[in-house]
Amino acid sequence: MCTREHPLHNPITNDYDIAVVKIMGNFFDSPVVRPIPLCAFDSVPGTVAFIIGWGVLTEGGSVPTNLQVAQVPVITNEECQAEYGQNAITIRMLCAGYRQGGVDSCQGDSGGPLAVNGQLCGVVSWGDGCAKPDRAGVYGNMTNQEMKDFVTKTVTGIVPCSGV
């Protein structure tokens, strides 16, 4: 197994918030284990996205016993900047959530997928609490070419990753 964090990742701003964990060995396609392709399109605001994860069910709450799936609409970066401030959201971030709150990723979901039409369009990154009104979830934007290139080059071995 090896891991590689994006070399430009900024833990203060969460820009370039992507890492690859490469597992050596054979995995096979099955109804349970399948690869997910990187997003081949820009996520259109209003598009329904699926968050999948094992994070807590409510802010400060308990961990679920079953894998959770939630649906949230993608919003524009401009809408997200209005919520968090213009300098908080970059082109390497994608936001999704309901203006009224109520559905979101939460602690423990980080690194999990935000999928649109069966493609990985985002990776759970950060937010202000969980499911708060006017506080969308923020995801690493896998429609951004820099982010996609980093993942592709790491997975294919063009860029080496360190052993763990």
Side-chain angles (χ1 to χ4, degrees), residues 76-157:
T76 67
N77 275 21
E78 291 76 21
E79 290 174 282
C80 205
Q81 288 168 345
E83 294 178 4
Y84 288 109
Q86 185 171 357
N87 295 330
I89 306 300
T90 73
I91 61 171
R92 289 161 299 276
M93 297 175 190
L94 176 73
C95 298
Y98 294 98
R99 183 168 205 91
Q100 71 272 19
V103 180
D104 198 2
S105 53
C106 207
Q107 288 79 25
D109 287 322
S110 296
L114 176 79
V116 176
N117 296 327
Q119 297 182 33
L120 181 66
C121 294
V123 176
V124 178
S125 180
W126 64 278
D128 176 11
C130 305
K132 291 181 178 178
D134 298 316
R135 289 290 187 255
V138 184
Y139 302 82
N141 185 356
M142 296 312 299
T143 70
N144 176 272
Q145 196 61 50
E146 285 180 279
M147 300 285 271
K148 285 166 61 169
D149 287 348
F150 168 76
V151 170
T152 301
K153 289 176 181 178
T154 303
V155 169
T156 60

Side-chain angles (χ1 to χ4, degrees), residues 57-69:
L57 299 174
T58 59
E59 192 171 340
S62 60
V63 176
T65 55
N66 297 310
L67 183 63
Q68 301 295 298
V69 178

